Amino acid sequence: METPSRVRSASPLWATLVAFGLAVFGIVATQFTTLPAIFLEPALIESPGDTSIGARALLMTLNFLGFALAGAIYLAATDRGWSYVDLRMPTKRGWLYVLAGIVGSLVFYFLVSILIQLLSLPATDNQVMQYIAGDQTMILVMILIVFFFNAPAEEFLFRNVIQKRLYEAFSRFQAVLVASAIFALIHFPVYLAASGDPLAIGPSDLLATTVPLVVVFGGSVIFGYVYAKTDNLVVPTAAHAAFNAFQFGLVYLALEFDLETGEPVQSLLVDLLAVVPV
């Protein structure tokens, strides 16, 4: 349902600044929520791959809880309350949008993967790969974290809080694009840091960082769209979780088939199509 123009009385600039501030607040919150894990296992800072699976899982779980905490604080501070949260069991139509979100994100991901291979584009993996450290068991743990913490927390903050806040100043489609741009933008430092020394970043590093951000932005647009069409947080959360689980599944299969796991996850998809029997 389109937001009536008479309701969109907020300044687009101010709404965008608030939305971006909420995203930054979410990042800052994760720095505090992860402190217990780092206190228990300081090696998580320098060499996470050498720590126990339990320590890594705790860190990742607390990290995503930081996003949920930021959203909850905003709702409380602005007197929006929990009634603002669009959480309910999807209808048959809602489940169809879940399916559309999953299929749409996977098709987009496949097309980007093919393009990366055809153009030989460099692509940087998320720093999360440092916490997996080639451990198949950790991949399975991450899939569970994706379903119960990652997707719910990110969709709550970026869809139900940030995107919905943008409805006050933009049309729903515009709000989807702005929220997705912000979602991609906050991932930029993460991918940039994973590409090498931030003080020695060159054009190729910037390109390698931009490629995965295209995937992040595109996926966010798809999840934002299904949320805008259903006003139900469960719909984008389910699609998001399935998409991320698919990405981790690719890494698991790459290890299973002894592929070069140093490649970006996007490239692994094309490689796996050549070795996995169909």
Side-chain angles (χ1 to χ4, degrees):
M1 181 184 299
E2 181 61 60
T3 304
S5 58
R6 60 183 174 82
V7 177
R8 297 199 302 269
S9 57
S11 161
L13 176 59
W14 176 247
T16 302
L17 290 175
V18 170
F20 184 74
L22 282 168
V24 173
F25 182 42
I27 296 295
V28 172
T30 65
Q31 306 306 302
F32 289 95
T33 56
T34 55
L35 287 178
I38 295 174
F39 177 78
L40 292 173
E41 183 53 85
L44 285 167
I45 299 177
E46 298 294 336
S47 53
D50 296 329
T51 61
S52 68
I53 290 178
R56 284 177 276 167
L58 177 62
L59 179 74
M60 297 307 299
T61 299
L62 293 177
N63 176 74
F64 295 122
L65 286 178
F67 288 120
L69 178 63
I73 291 175
Y74 175 76
L75 294 186
T78 57
D79 294 323
R80 283 173 167 81
W82 289 112
S83 61
Y84 194 77
V85 182
D86 299 316
L87 191 62
R88 61 186 180 279
M89 183 61 64
T91 60
K92 181 179 179 180
R93 174 177 174 272
W95 286 117
L96 288 175
Y97 272 107
V98 170
L99 180 61
I102 295 172
V103 173
S105 58
L106 292 181
V107 168
F108 174 74
Y109 188 73
F110 178 78
L111 293 176
V112 170
S113 301
I114 294 295
L115 191 63
I116 289 173
Q117 289 284 8
L118 289 177
L119 300 180
S120 299
L121 295 175
T124 302
D125 263 327
N126 193 297
Q127 281 185 309
V128 171
M129 296 301 294
Q130 297 177 10
Y131 294 91
I132 291 177
D135 188 333
Q136 285 179 294
T137 301
M138 186 61 197
I139 295 174
L140 298 178
V141 171
M142 281 304 304
I143 291 176
L144 291 176
I145 292 175
V146 159
F147 275 95
F148 292 103
F149 299 99
N150 177 7
E154 288 189 343
E155 291 304 309
F156 168 59
L157 178 61
F158 287 93
R159 236 61 66 188
N160 206 151
V161 176
I162 290 178
Q163 182 174 310
K164 194 172 180 178
R165 172 65 176 80
L166 289 168
Y167 291 165
E168 298 176 17
F170 298 96
S171 71
R172 292 207 168 196
F173 181 68
Q174 290 170 334
V176 168
L177 294 179
V178 175
S180 298
I182 292 172
F183 187 64
L185 187 60
I186 68 161
H187 281 75
F188 180 76
V190 177
Y191 284 106
L192 190 63
S195 67
D197 183 0
L199 298 179
I201 296 298
S204 61
D205 297 310
L206 290 176
L207 179 60
T209 301
T210 301
V211 169
L213 291 184
V214 171
V215 177
V216 172
F217 176 77
S220 183
V221 168
I222 293 170
F223 305 141
Y225 174 78
V226 297
Y227 172 67
K229 296 296 290 185
T230 61
D231 288 321
N232 189 344
L233 184 59
V234 174
V235 174
T237 298
H240 187 163
F243 175 66
N244 282 166
F246 175 80
Q247 291 179 297
F248 283 119
L250 288 180
V251 180
Y252 185 93
L253 289 174
L255 292 172
E256 186 70 23
F257 286 93
D258 198 27
L259 295 181
E260 179 54 63
T261 54
E263 293 184 75
V265 178
Q266 295 88 350
S267 300
L268 292 177
L269 174 58
V270 179
D271 293 340
L272 281 167
L273 290 176
V275 300
V276 177
V278 294

Tab-separated table of all heavy atoms in Angstrom, residues 191-250:
chain	number	residue	atom	x	y	z
A	191	TYR	N	34.134	-4.604	3.780
A	191	TYR	CA	34.774	-5.208	2.610
A	191	TYR	C	36.105	-4.546	2.305
A	191	TYR	O	37.048	-5.207	1.852
A	191	TYR	CB	33.850	-5.101	1.395
A	191	TYR	CG	32.713	-6.095	1.419
A	191	TYR	CD1	31.407	-5.695	1.708
A	191	TYR	CD2	32.935	-7.443	1.140
A	191	TYR	CE1	30.357	-6.614	1.725
A	191	TYR	CE2	31.897	-8.361	1.158
A	191	TYR	CZ	30.613	-7.936	1.456
A	191	TYR	OH	29.590	-8.844	1.474
A	192	LEU	N	36.196	-3.248	2.538
A	192	LEU	CA	37.447	-2.539	2.281
A	192	LEU	C	38.548	-3.049	3.201
A	192	LEU	O	39.678	-3.277	2.776
A	192	LEU	CB	37.248	-1.033	2.483
A	192	LEU	CG	38.398	-0.130	2.025
A	192	LEU	CD1	38.600	-0.254	0.524
A	192	LEU	CD2	38.111	1.322	2.394
A	193	ALA	N	38.214	-3.258	4.475
A	193	ALA	CA	39.202	-3.775	5.431
A	193	ALA	C	39.630	-5.186	5.060
A	193	ALA	O	40.784	-5.569	5.255
A	193	ALA	CB	38.620	-3.749	6.840
A	194	ALA	N	38.712	-5.975	4.509
A	194	ALA	CA	39.022	-7.349	4.143
A	194	ALA	C	39.898	-7.436	2.900
A	194	ALA	O	40.546	-8.453	2.644
A	194	ALA	CB	37.737	-8.142	3.910
A	195	SER	N	39.940	-6.342	2.113
A	195	SER	CA	40.707	-6.356	0.868
A	195	SER	C	42.193	-6.108	1.084
A	195	SER	O	43.004	-6.306	0.183
A	195	SER	CB	40.153	-5.310	-0.100
A	195	SER	OG	40.378	-4.002	0.398
A	196	GLY	N	42.567	-5.661	2.288
A	196	GLY	CA	43.980	-5.421	2.557
A	196	GLY	C	44.183	-4.255	3.505
A	196	GLY	O	43.287	-3.878	4.250
A	197	ASP	N	45.373	-3.677	3.462
A	197	ASP	CA	45.710	-2.547	4.323
A	197	ASP	C	44.908	-1.316	3.885
A	197	ASP	O	45.076	-0.830	2.758
A	197	ASP	CB	47.206	-2.258	4.214
A	197	ASP	CG	47.653	-1.134	5.138
A	197	ASP	OD1	46.795	-0.585	5.868
A	197	ASP	OD2	48.851	-0.809	5.128
A	198	PRO	N	44.032	-0.794	4.759
A	198	PRO	CA	43.227	0.377	4.381
A	198	PRO	C	44.057	1.587	3.982
A	198	PRO	O	43.574	2.463	3.260
A	198	PRO	CB	42.416	0.660	5.653
A	198	PRO	CG	42.393	-0.643	6.395
A	198	PRO	CD	43.722	-1.281	6.098
A	199	LEU	N	45.313	1.654	4.445
A	199	LEU	CA	46.176	2.789	4.128
A	199	LEU	C	46.874	2.620	2.783
A	199	LEU	O	47.542	3.537	2.319
A	199	LEU	CB	47.226	2.978	5.235
A	199	LEU	CG	46.665	3.289	6.631
A	199	LEU	CD1	47.808	3.438	7.634
A	199	LEU	CD2	45.816	4.556	6.594
A	200	ALA	N	46.727	1.443	2.161
A	200	ALA	CA	47.381	1.187	0.876
A	200	ALA	C	46.370	0.681	-0.148
A	200	ALA	O	46.638	-0.216	-0.933
A	200	ALA	CB	48.516	0.178	1.064
A	201	ILE	N	45.182	1.259	-0.132
A	201	ILE	CA	44.124	0.839	-1.033
A	201	ILE	C	44.321	1.467	-2.411
A	201	ILE	O	44.506	2.682	-2.534
A	201	ILE	CB	42.744	1.241	-0.478
A	201	ILE	CG1	42.484	0.509	0.831
A	201	ILE	CG2	41.655	0.940	-1.482
A	201	ILE	CD1	42.434	-0.987	0.711
A	202	GLY	N	44.295	0.640	-3.438
A	202	GLY	CA	44.432	1.113	-4.803
A	202	GLY	C	43.148	0.945	-5.586
A	202	GLY	O	42.146	0.455	-5.057
A	203	PRO	N	43.151	1.332	-6.866
A	203	PRO	CA	41.949	1.212	-7.714
A	203	PRO	C	41.402	-0.213	-7.773
A	203	PRO	O	40.190	-0.420	-7.756
A	203	PRO	CB	42.441	1.676	-9.083
A	203	PRO	CG	43.587	2.592	-8.774
A	203	PRO	CD	44.251	1.984	-7.574
A	204	SER	N	42.306	-1.209	-7.858
A	204	SER	CA	41.840	-2.597	-7.938
A	204	SER	C	41.143	-3.016	-6.641
A	204	SER	O	40.178	-3.789	-6.657
A	204	SER	CB	43.015	-3.533	-8.224
A	204	SER	OG	43.988	-3.469	-7.184
A	205	ASP	N	41.630	-2.499	-5.502
A	205	ASP	CA	41.009	-2.815	-4.218
A	205	ASP	C	39.619	-2.189	-4.130
A	205	ASP	O	38.686	-2.801	-3.608
A	205	ASP	CB	41.874	-2.311	-3.063
A	205	ASP	CG	43.228	-2.994	-3.013
A	205	ASP	OD1	43.259	-4.234	-3.069
A	205	ASP	OD2	44.238	-2.284	-2.931
A	206	LEU	N	39.505	-0.967	-4.646
A	206	LEU	CA	38.199	-0.303	-4.634
A	206	LEU	C	37.201	-1.046	-5.517
A	206	LEU	O	36.029	-1.191	-5.169
A	206	LEU	CB	38.343	1.143	-5.106
A	206	LEU	CG	39.064	2.095	-4.146
A	206	LEU	CD1	39.234	3.470	-4.785
A	206	LEU	CD2	38.287	2.224	-2.836
A	207	LEU	N	37.688	-1.541	-6.665
A	207	LEU	CA	36.819	-2.316	-7.551
A	207	LEU	C	36.413	-3.622	-6.890
A	207	LEU	O	35.239	-4.022	-6.944
A	207	LEU	CB	37.533	-2.597	-8.878
A	207	LEU	CG	36.749	-3.437	-9.899
A	207	LEU	CD1	35.443	-2.740	-10.262
A	207	LEU	CD2	37.602	-3.687	-11.137
A	208	ALA	N	37.373	-4.276	-6.235
A	208	ALA	CA	37.082	-5.543	-5.551
A	208	ALA	C	36.087	-5.342	-4.415
A	208	ALA	O	35.327	-6.253	-4.080
A	208	ALA	CB	38.382	-6.150	-5.015
A	209	THR	N	36.101	-4.157	-3.839
A	209	THR	CA	35.154	-3.837	-2.766
A	209	THR	C	33.782	-3.492	-3.332
A	209	THR	O	32.750	-3.833	-2.743
A	209	THR	CB	35.678	-2.650	-1.935
A	209	THR	OG1	36.953	-2.975	-1.390
A	209	THR	CG2	34.720	-2.313	-0.802
A	210	THR	N	33.761	-2.845	-4.475
A	210	THR	CA	32.496	-2.418	-5.079
A	210	THR	C	31.670	-3.595	-5.568
A	210	THR	O	30.435	-3.595	-5.444
A	210	THR	CB	32.771	-1.464	-6.256
A	210	THR	OG1	33.511	-0.329	-5.780
A	210	THR	CG2	31.482	-0.987	-6.891
A	211	VAL	N	32.320	-4.616	-6.110
A	211	VAL	CA	31.599	-5.760	-6.677
A	211	VAL	C	30.675	-6.435	-5.657
A	211	VAL	O	29.489	-6.616	-5.926
A	211	VAL	CB	32.584	-6.774	-7.286
A	211	VAL	CG1	31.864	-8.080	-7.639
A	211	VAL	CG2	33.244	-6.196	-8.529
A	212	PRO	N	31.158	-6.824	-4.465
A	212	PRO	CA	30.229	-7.431	-3.507
A	212	PRO	C	29.172	-6.455	-2.998
A	212	PRO	O	28.078	-6.877	-2.606
A	212	PRO	CB	31.144	-7.897	-2.363
A	212	PRO	CG	32.371	-7.076	-2.478
A	212	PRO	CD	32.539	-6.836	-3.948
A	213	LEU	N	29.488	-5.151	-3.004
A	213	LEU	CA	28.482	-4.171	-2.577
A	213	LEU	C	27.305	-4.120	-3.547
A	213	LEU	O	26.185	-3.812	-3.150
A	213	LEU	CB	29.117	-2.786	-2.445
A	213	LEU	CG	30.113	-2.601	-1.297
A	213	LEU	CD1	30.572	-1.151	-1.232
A	213	LEU	CD2	29.515	-3.027	0.033
A	214	VAL	N	27.568	-4.437	-4.811
A	214	VAL	CA	26.480	-4.517	-5.790
A	214	VAL	C	25.523	-5.643	-5.397
A	214	VAL	O	24.298	-5.500	-5.481
A	214	VAL	CB	27.040	-4.752	-7.211
A	214	VAL	CG1	25.909	-5.049	-8.199
A	214	VAL	CG2	27.827	-3.528	-7.680
A	215	VAL	N	26.102	-6.768	-4.950
A	215	VAL	CA	25.279	-7.894	-4.501
A	215	VAL	C	24.482	-7.499	-3.266
A	215	VAL	O	23.288	-7.799	-3.148
A	215	VAL	CB	26.159	-9.126	-4.207
A	215	VAL	CG1	25.310	-10.272	-3.660
A	215	VAL	CG2	26.898	-9.575	-5.454
A	216	VAL	N	25.135	-6.813	-2.328
A	216	VAL	CA	24.464	-6.370	-1.104
A	216	VAL	C	23.313	-5.417	-1.432
A	216	VAL	O	22.200	-5.560	-0.910
A	216	VAL	CB	25.474	-5.682	-0.156
A	216	VAL	CG1	24.742	-5.044	1.022
A	216	VAL	CG2	26.503	-6.689	0.348
A	217	PHE	N	23.586	-4.466	-2.317
A	217	PHE	CA	22.552	-3.489	-2.686
A	217	PHE	C	21.386	-4.178	-3.400
A	217	PHE	O	20.213	-3.937	-3.090
A	217	PHE	CB	23.148	-2.405	-3.580
A	217	PHE	CG	22.137	-1.413	-4.086
A	217	PHE	CD1	21.657	-0.411	-3.267
A	217	PHE	CD2	21.658	-1.497	-5.393
A	217	PHE	CE1	20.707	0.504	-3.728
A	217	PHE	CE2	20.710	-0.589	-5.864
A	217	PHE	CZ	20.238	0.408	-5.025
A	218	GLY	N	21.703	-5.021	-4.364
A	218	GLY	CA	20.656	-5.704	-5.118
A	218	GLY	C	19.793	-6.585	-4.238
A	218	GLY	O	18.553	-6.570	-4.345
A	219	GLY	N	20.435	-7.339	-3.350
A	219	GLY	CA	19.667	-8.179	-2.436
A	219	GLY	C	18.798	-7.346	-1.518
A	219	GLY	O	17.637	-7.694	-1.254
A	220	SER	N	19.329	-6.219	-1.053
A	220	SER	CA	18.574	-5.350	-0.164
A	220	SER	C	17.356	-4.756	-0.861
A	220	SER	O	16.288	-4.627	-0.257
A	220	SER	CB	19.473	-4.221	0.361
A	220	SER	OG	18.783	-3.402	1.269
A	221	VAL	N	17.506	-4.407	-2.144
A	221	VAL	CA	16.368	-3.886	-2.905
A	221	VAL	C	15.261	-4.935	-2.983
A	221	VAL	O	14.073	-4.632	-2.807
A	221	VAL	CB	16.807	-3.458	-4.319
A	221	VAL	CG1	15.590	-3.200	-5.211
A	221	VAL	CG2	17.677	-2.210	-4.257
A	222	ILE	N	15.651	-6.172	-3.232
A	222	ILE	CA	14.672	-7.256	-3.346
A	222	ILE	C	13.964	-7.480	-2.014
A	222	ILE	O	12.731	-7.574	-1.948
A	222	ILE	CB	15.360	-8.548	-3.826
A	222	ILE	CG1	15.843	-8.372	-5.264
A	222	ILE	CG2	14.407	-9.745	-3.724
A	222	ILE	CD1	16.746	-9.474	-5.762
A	223	PHE	N	14.736	-7.541	-0.921
A	223	PHE	CA	14.120	-7.761	0.396
A	223	PHE	C	13.276	-6.558	0.812
A	223	PHE	O	12.216	-6.714	1.432
A	223	PHE	CB	15.205	-8.039	1.442
A	223	PHE	CG	16.111	-9.185	1.079
A	223	PHE	CD1	17.477	-9.130	1.349
A	223	PHE	CD2	15.613	-10.315	0.451
A	223	PHE	CE1	18.314	-10.179	1.008
A	223	PHE	CE2	16.449	-11.378	0.097
A	223	PHE	CZ	17.806	-11.291	0.376
A	224	GLY	N	13.760	-5.361	0.476
A	224	GLY	CA	12.991	-4.163	0.792
A	224	GLY	C	11.687	-4.114	0.016
A	224	GLY	O	10.661	-3.660	0.536
A	225	TYR	N	11.719	-4.583	-1.221
A	225	TYR	CA	10.513	-4.580	-2.054
A	225	TYR	C	9.448	-5.516	-1.484
A	225	TYR	O	8.273	-5.129	-1.377
A	225	TYR	CB	10.877	-4.992	-3.482
A	225	TYR	CG	9.666	-5.148	-4.381
A	225	TYR	CD1	9.025	-4.041	-4.915
A	225	TYR	CD2	9.172	-6.422	-4.688
A	225	TYR	CE1	7.910	-4.180	-5.731
A	225	TYR	CE2	8.057	-6.567	-5.501
A	225	TYR	CZ	7.439	-5.449	-6.028
A	225	TYR	OH	6.330	-5.595	-6.830
A	226	VAL	N	9.849	-6.741	-1.094
A	226	VAL	CA	8.844	-7.688	-0.585
A	226	VAL	C	8.299	-7.216	0.764
A	226	VAL	O	7.137	-7.487	1.096
A	226	VAL	CB	9.403	-9.129	-0.491
A	226	VAL	CG1	9.781	-9.648	-1.875
A	226	VAL	CG2	10.588	-9.220	0.458
A	227	TYR	N	9.124	-6.487	1.524
A	227	TYR	CA	8.611	-5.912	2.767
A	227	TYR	C	7.611	-4.801	2.474
A	227	TYR	O	6.551	-4.708	3.111
A	227	TYR	CB	9.762	-5.372	3.620
A	227	TYR	CG	9.283	-4.588	4.833
A	227	TYR	CD1	8.605	-5.232	5.865
A	227	TYR	CD2	9.501	-3.218	4.937
A	227	TYR	CE1	8.143	-4.525	6.964
A	227	TYR	CE2	9.050	-2.502	6.028
A	227	TYR	CZ	8.367	-3.158	7.046
A	227	TYR	OH	7.902	-2.461	8.135
A	228	ALA	N	7.937	-3.961	1.491
A	228	ALA	CA	7.042	-2.858	1.130
A	228	ALA	C	5.709	-3.372	0.605
A	228	ALA	O	4.669	-2.728	0.804
A	228	ALA	CB	7.713	-1.971	0.082
A	229	LYS	N	5.716	-4.510	-0.034
A	229	LYS	CA	4.487	-5.074	-0.598
A	229	LYS	C	3.642	-5.801	0.444
A	229	LYS	O	2.431	-5.976	0.244
A	229	LYS	CB	4.821	-6.034	-1.741
A	229	LYS	CG	5.499	-5.382	-2.932
A	229	LYS	CD	4.609	-4.357	-3.612
A	229	LYS	CE	3.447	-4.977	-4.335
A	229	LYS	NZ	2.646	-3.998	-5.081
A	230	THR	N	4.252	-6.238	1.549
A	230	THR	CA	3.518	-7.055	2.520
A	230	THR	C	3.378	-6.410	3.892
A	230	THR	O	2.514	-6.819	4.674
A	230	THR	CB	4.214	-8.407	2.708
A	230	THR	OG1	5.555	-8.195	3.209
A	230	THR	CG2	4.276	-9.184	1.397
A	231	ASP	N	4.223	-5.428	4.221
A	231	ASP	CA	4.235	-4.831	5.563
A	231	ASP	C	4.344	-5.919	6.633
A	231	ASP	O	3.703	-5.857	7.683
A	231	ASP	CB	2.977	-3.995	5.805
A	231	ASP	CG	2.988	-2.700	5.012
A	231	ASP	OD1	4.071	-2.094	4.899
A	231	ASP	OD2	1.927	-2.309	4.507
A	232	ASN	N	5.173	-6.909	6.356
A	232	ASN	CA	5.355	-8.034	7.272
A	232	ASN	C	6.837	-8.354	7.361
A	232	ASN	O	7.456	-8.755	6.363
A	232	ASN	CB	4.571	-9.252	6.778
A	232	ASN	CG	4.550	-10.388	7.802
A	232	ASN	OD1	5.338	-10.410	8.746
A	232	ASN	ND2	3.648	-11.322	7.620
A	233	LEU	N	7.416	-8.172	8.534
A	233	LEU	CA	8.848	-8.376	8.728
A	233	LEU	C	9.279	-9.815	8.473
A	233	LEU	O	10.426	-10.063	8.076
A	233	LEU	CB	9.227	-7.958	10.160
A	233	LEU	CG	10.706	-7.999	10.536
A	233	LEU	CD1	11.526	-7.097	9.639
A	233	LEU	CD2	10.877	-7.602	12.008
A	234	VAL	N	8.389	-10.769	8.676
A	234	VAL	CA	8.733	-12.178	8.482
A	234	VAL	C	9.096	-12.459	7.027
A	234	VAL	O	9.976	-13.276	6.738
A	234	VAL	CB	7.573	-13.092	8.920
A	234	VAL	CG1	7.871	-14.551	8.590
A	234	VAL	CG2	7.300	-12.938	10.407
A	235	VAL	N	8.460	-11.759	6.100
A	235	VAL	CA	8.662	-12.022	4.672
A	235	VAL	C	10.093	-11.729	4.224
A	235	VAL	O	10.776	-12.627	3.698
A	235	VAL	CB	7.633	-11.241	3.829
A	235	VAL	CG1	7.931	-11.393	2.337
A	235	VAL	CG2	6.221	-11.728	4.138
A	236	PRO	N	10.631	-10.512	4.403
A	236	PRO	CA	12.022	-10.282	3.999
A	236	PRO	C	13.020	-11.055	4.857
A	236	PRO	O	14.086	-11.426	4.371
A	236	PRO	CB	12.196	-8.765	4.174
A	236	PRO	CG	11.197	-8.385	5.211
A	236	PRO	CD	10.016	-9.277	4.949
A	237	THR	N	12.667	-11.301	6.124
A	237	THR	CA	13.577	-12.046	6.995
A	237	THR	C	13.768	-13.469	6.486
A	237	THR	O	14.901	-13.973	6.421
A	237	THR	CB	13.037	-12.084	8.438
A	237	THR	OG1	12.946	-10.750	8.940
A	237	THR	CG2	13.949	-12.897	9.338
A	238	ALA	N	12.679	-14.126	6.108
A	238	ALA	CA	12.773	-15.492	5.601
A	238	ALA	C	13.554	-15.541	4.288
A	238	ALA	O	14.403	-16.422	4.082
A	238	ALA	CB	11.374	-16.076	5.405
A	239	ALA	N	13.288	-14.578	3.394
A	239	ALA	CA	13.996	-14.541	2.111
A	239	ALA	C	15.481	-14.245	2.321
A	239	ALA	O	16.350	-14.875	1.695
A	239	ALA	CB	13.366	-13.489	1.203
A	240	HIS	N	15.780	-13.308	3.204
A	240	HIS	CA	17.157	-12.932	3.514
A	240	HIS	C	17.926	-14.112	4.111
A	240	HIS	O	19.058	-14.408	3.718
A	240	HIS	CB	17.140	-11.748	4.496
A	240	HIS	CG	18.483	-11.158	4.781
A	240	HIS	ND1	18.633	-9.906	5.346
A	240	HIS	CD2	19.735	-11.638	4.622
A	240	HIS	CE1	19.923	-9.647	5.500
A	240	HIS	NE2	20.608	-10.695	5.075
A	241	ALA	N	17.296	-14.812	5.053
A	241	ALA	CA	17.941	-15.951	5.700
A	241	ALA	C	18.247	-17.051	4.686
A	241	ALA	O	19.341	-17.638	4.695
A	241	ALA	CB	17.051	-16.493	6.817
A	242	ALA	N	17.298	-17.327	3.811
A	242	ALA	CA	17.507	-18.371	2.806
A	242	ALA	C	18.636	-17.988	1.852
A	242	ALA	O	19.463	-18.835	1.477
A	242	ALA	CB	16.209	-18.604	2.032
A	243	PHE	N	18.695	-16.717	1.488
A	243	PHE	CA	19.740	-16.245	0.573
A	243	PHE	C	21.124	-16.372	1.208
A	243	PHE	O	22.063	-16.890	0.599
A	243	PHE	CB	19.464	-14.797	0.184
A	243	PHE	CG	20.538	-14.176	-0.669
A	243	PHE	CD1	20.780	-14.641	-1.937
A	243	PHE	CD2	21.305	-13.116	-0.183
A	243	PHE	CE1	21.777	-14.073	-2.737
A	243	PHE	CE2	22.295	-12.546	-0.962
A	243	PHE	CZ	22.528	-13.025	-2.245
A	244	ASN	N	21.270	-15.898	2.440
A	244	ASN	CA	22.562	-15.991	3.127
A	244	ASN	C	22.954	-17.439	3.390
A	244	ASN	O	24.128	-17.810	3.304
A	244	ASN	CB	22.523	-15.218	4.437
A	244	ASN	CG	22.663	-13.715	4.256
A	244	ASN	OD1	22.394	-12.938	5.160
A	244	ASN	ND2	23.073	-13.274	3.069
A	245	ALA	N	21.964	-18.280	3.721
A	245	ALA	CA	22.244	-19.701	3.934
A	245	ALA	C	22.759	-20.335	2.645
A	245	ALA	O	23.668	-21.184	2.672
A	245	ALA	CB	20.986	-20.421	4.415
A	246	PHE	N	22.209	-19.910	1.521
A	246	PHE	CA	22.682	-20.406	0.222
A	246	PHE	C	24.145	-20.026	0.008
A	246	PHE	O	24.948	-20.849	-0.460
A	246	PHE	CB	21.816	-19.827	-0.896
A	246	PHE	CG	22.291	-20.178	-2.279
A	246	PHE	CD1	22.007	-21.410	-2.839
A	246	PHE	CD2	23.026	-19.271	-3.030
A	246	PHE	CE1	22.441	-21.743	-4.116
A	246	PHE	CE2	23.472	-19.581	-4.302
A	246	PHE	CZ	23.180	-20.823	-4.848
A	247	GLN	N	24.505	-18.791	0.356
A	247	GLN	CA	25.889	-18.350	0.193
A	247	GLN	C	26.835	-19.189	1.047
A	247	GLN	O	27.895	-19.617	0.578
A	247	GLN	CB	26.011	-16.874	0.581
A	247	GLN	CG	25.329	-15.918	-0.391
A	247	GLN	CD	25.464	-14.475	0.050
A	247	GLN	OE1	24.973	-14.088	1.109
A	247	GLN	NE2	26.127	-13.664	-0.741
A	248	PHE	N	26.462	-19.436	2.298
A	248	PHE	CA	27.296	-20.265	3.155
A	248	PHE	C	27.320	-21.706	2.653
A	248	PHE	O	28.326	-22.407	2.784
A	248	PHE	CB	26.803	-20.214	4.600
A	248	PHE	CG	27.174	-18.950	5.317
A	248	PHE	CD1	26.200	-18.105	5.817
A	248	PHE	CD2	28.497	-18.591	5.486
A	248	PHE	CE1	26.544	-16.928	6.471
A	248	PHE	CE2	28.865	-17.421	6.137
A	248	PHE	CZ	27.871	-16.590	6.632
A	249	GLY	N	26.208	-22.144	2.081
A	249	GLY	CA	26.166	-23.490	1.508
A	249	GLY	C	27.170	-23.640	0.379
A	249	GLY	O	27.775	-24.711	0.212
A	250	LEU	N	27.364	-22.573	-0.407
A	250	LEU	CA	28.358	-22.611	-1.477
A	250	LEU	C	29.758	-22.831	-0.910
A	250	LEU	O	30.546	-23.613	-1.455
A	250	LEU	CB	28.330	-21.298	-2.266
A	250	LEU	CG	27.131	-21.039	-3.179
A	250	LEU	CD1	27.296	-19.691	-3.871
A	250	LEU	CD2	26.967	-22.139	-4.207
